Amino acid sequence: MKSRALVFASYGSSRESGRTDDIAPVATELAAAFPEVAFRESYTSRPVRQALERQGIACPAGLSEVLEGLADEGVAGVAVQPGLVVAGTSMEALLDEAEHMASRFPEGIAVGRPLLSSQEDVEEVAAALDHAWPARPGHALVLVGHGSGISSANLPYLALRDVLHGRGRGDVVLGLLEGEPGIDAVAEGLVRRKAKSATLVPLMLAAGVHAARQLAGDSTESWSSRLREEGLEATCSLSGLGSLAEIRSLYRMHAQAALQALPSKDAARAVSIRK
């Protein structure tokens, strides 16, 4: 049995494409990048796990259950890499779970950083999005993050928008499902700039059912419907960030830093997991 483990903890998705095209590629690359440690996945969302269970679809367990299993196997230290974009309420909940379990591991638990945790992260994600979604005349690129009830957690989204603008991407507009700017501000901004069309792109590891419904749903309250009401030709991409190689590379670097934060095998202390 390997003495250390890496856990990739994502929210999960009940949409098959979200699991296979966005989450699984990140998990596969992380497992391949660190063959010296045991690798596990976790879906942190209980509603997602329950939805998949009702469909008879096997999925990773919750984080506490995964950590319990690793502790029972005799693993000494664990690095947990969140599949999160920003450090909001979901990150706080993950840290609480990890901290609760840290005493089960002689070398403790180290938790990696979310995707947008530094200016360097923001620059790299901006470059990836710039490459994946080239500018088009008269067309707007609307990046839609989930947003957080913690207002400071939304600052990296704004920083990403500003870096893209600095790269000459004045066509990029930011929106948040929770928080501001919301859909009304996005629609008003697009009308002011006289955009003719727009593509909605989820700024999330994977666009789940909830996000897909809010962005691309047929209801009059969906973001795409709202933009069409304003006379724009609106399309929606439901590919998450995990589908981009540059994003997977960034998650890999964060996971590596978490593994390096664990003490030596001879140490018998818990790693501080609060950053």
Side-chain angles (χ1 to χ4, degrees), residues 149-166:
I150 302 176
S151 58
S152 60
N154 292 329
L155 295 178
Y157 292 120
L158 302 175
L160 179 63
R161 177 199 60 190
D162 292 345
V163 168
L164 281 162
H165 286 177

Side-chain angles (χ1 to χ4, degrees), residues 129-250:
L129 294 170
D130 191 11
H131 178 261
W133 301 97
R136 294 158 50 190
H139 188 79
L141 180 65
V142 183
L143 301 177
V144 186
H146 188 279
S148 172
I150 302 176
S151 58
S152 60
N154 292 329
L155 295 178
Y157 292 120
L158 302 175
L160 179 63
R161 177 199 60 190
D162 292 345
V163 168
L164 281 162
H165 286 177
R167 293 175 65 96
R169 293 300 302 270
D171 60 306
V172 170
V173 177
L174 173 71
L176 298 176
L177 295 179
E178 294 183 11
E180 292 296 332
I183 179 55
D184 289 338
V186 168
E188 291 169 7
L190 293 176
V191 170
R192 281 198 307 270
R193 67 176 62 192
K194 298 180 180 180
K196 297 179 180 178
S197 59
T199 298
L200 296 160
V201 174
L203 201 58
M204 311 165 196
L205 173 67
V209 170
H210 172 66
R213 186 181 299 119
Q214 284 192 266
L215 296 183
D218 296 328
S219 77
T220 57
E221 297 180 354
S222 75
W223 284 47
S224 55
S225 295
R226 177 75 172 80
L227 296 185
R228 291 183 188 113
E229 286 179 3
E230 299 293 343
L232 283 86
E233 179 185 340
T235 56
C236 186
S237 167
L238 292 180
S239 293
L241 294 174
S243 64
L244 302 179
E246 300 92 335
I247 301 301
R248 298 195 295 272
S249 176
L250 194 52

Side-chain angles (χ1 to χ4, degrees), residues 22-111:
D22 302 323
I23 298 175
V26 180
T28 298
E29 289 200 16
L30 289 177
F34 307 104
E36 71 279 7
V37 302
F39 179 78
R40 300 288 188 274
E41 269 194 271
S42 169
Y43 279 8
T44 61
S45 170
R46 179 173 300 192
V48 166
R49 299 196 306 271
Q50 291 174 336
L52 292 173
E53 182 180 349
R54 287 193 296 270
Q55 299 174 56
I57 299 173
C59 72
L63 181 58
S64 292
E65 185 177 347
V66 170
L67 293 174
E68 285 278 5
L70 289 170
D72 290 343
E73 292 172 24
V75 170
V78 180
V80 177
Q81 177 53 49
L84 299 171
V85 176
V86 298
T89 54
S90 293
M91 184 66 177
E92 288 297 315
L94 187 150
L95 284 168
D96 287 342
E97 279 196 79
E99 202 160 37
H100 179 73
M101 292 294 301
S103 62
R104 292 290 310 276
F105 300 94
E107 295 181 13
I109 299 175
V111 178

